[in-house]
Amino acid sequence: MTVIARFEVIPVHDGSRSEDIAQAVDALEEYDVSSETTATDTVIESDSADEVFEAVRAAHDAVETDRVITSLEIDDYGAGGRDAESRVESVASVLGREPKSGG
């Protein structure tokens, strides 16, 4: 089974959120997930939906502020699902290049 999820942890307060988000991302290290943080969210991948839920809960709980909003989207593909890397490679194959540009 392949489970790919994207989530964002949004600390609600004035000022920089970088330290809070770093705490959330760091909390993922305790779980059997791979992750990639982007400018707007974090993508995680695991063999278990339970592991994804636990990891995201830990990321949410790691943020020490009075108000935190966490958004989660899960693609639980079941048996035979492709991992995130192969999905990106498939798009790159169709494009004939990496699906990333310099802006």
Side-chain angles (χ1 to χ4, degrees), residues 67-85:
R67 184 173 179 206
V68 179
I69 299 170
T70 297
S71 173
L72 172 64
E73 181 179 300
I74 295 177
D75 182 357
D76 186 349
Y77 201 86
R82 296 185 313 160
D83 63 17
E85 185 176 343

Side-chain angles (χ1 to χ4, degrees), residues 19-88:
E19 187 172 317
D20 298 314
I21 293 169
Q23 290 171 339
V25 170
D26 194 43
L28 298 175
E29 293 298 315
E30 300 299 318
Y31 296 87
D32 189 20
V33 298
S34 61
S35 68
E36 181 177 351
T37 299
T38 74
T40 59
D41 60 19
T42 297
V43 176
I44 60 175
E45 184 174 1
S46 179
D47 292 331
S48 162
D50 289 339
E51 191 77 7
V52 168
F53 281 114
E54 290 173 15
V56 171
R57 175 61 188 249
H60 174 89
D61 289 345
V63 177
E64 297 176 1
T65 190
D66 290 337
R67 184 173 179 206
V68 179
I69 299 170
T70 297
S71 173
L72 172 64
E73 181 179 300
I74 295 177
D75 182 357
D76 186 349
Y77 201 86
R82 296 185 313 160
D83 63 17
E85 185 176 343
S86 67
R87 291 181 186 191
V88 173

